[in-house]
Amino acid sequence: MNEATVGSPQSCDWCGRPGSVIQFDSWAEDGTLLYRDPALCAVCELLADADSGDVGDAFCQVVTDLDLRLASFEAGLAARWREKVRAGQRQPQRADERPPGWR
């Protein structure tokens, strides 16, 4: 298996620019892992944080369709993660694995 570790250089999963693997898990409401540890460039990492805090407020003022763009971004990262799981570059969700705080 050629799984990348957090912090290792890798092309961005969204745009292809040089980036690095960040530690992050995205979960669906039903407890299904959508994706884990994406490789992101600095710009896409900012976009990934765009839905919270001051950064999110600034994006919402400038980008009127931010929710649609973020949904497309998330779907793209999930699709890329599934490709990497199939290629042995990322670990799939374990049968007993659930998001933090899952009941």
Side-chain angles (χ1 to χ4, degrees):
M1 181 178 288
N2 187 19
E3 187 170 344
T5 57
V6 172
S8 64
Q10 203 173 84
S11 296
C12 180
D13 289 341
W14 177 251
C15 71
R17 288 186 291 249
S20 61
V21 177
I22 65 165
Q23 185 173 2
F24 184 80
D25 294 342
S26 180
W27 298 91
E29 289 182 16
D30 67 358
T32 302
L33 182 63
L34 298 174
Y35 63 90
R36 158 184 295 138
D37 299 344
L40 297 175
C41 69
V43 173
C44 290
E45 189 170 357
L46 182 64
L47 181 59
D49 292 334
D51 61 347
S52 63
D54 292 339
V55 172
D57 292 344
F59 268 109
C60 287
Q61 290 174 3
V62 176
V63 182
T64 56
D65 62 347
L66 181 63
D67 288 339
L68 292 174
R69 290 177 189 237
L70 286 177
S72 174
F73 180 73
E74 291 281 321
L77 292 180
R80 184 70 179 123
W81 177 74
R82 288 189 301 272
E83 290 173 13
K84 287 182 173 186
V85 167
R86 283 191 296 274
Q89 297 172 341
R90 294 290 190 278
Q91 290 291 321
Q93 181 177 1
R94 294 182 317 272
D96 64 342
E97 185 177 22
R98 295 291 177 258
W102 180 256
R103 37 184 148 90

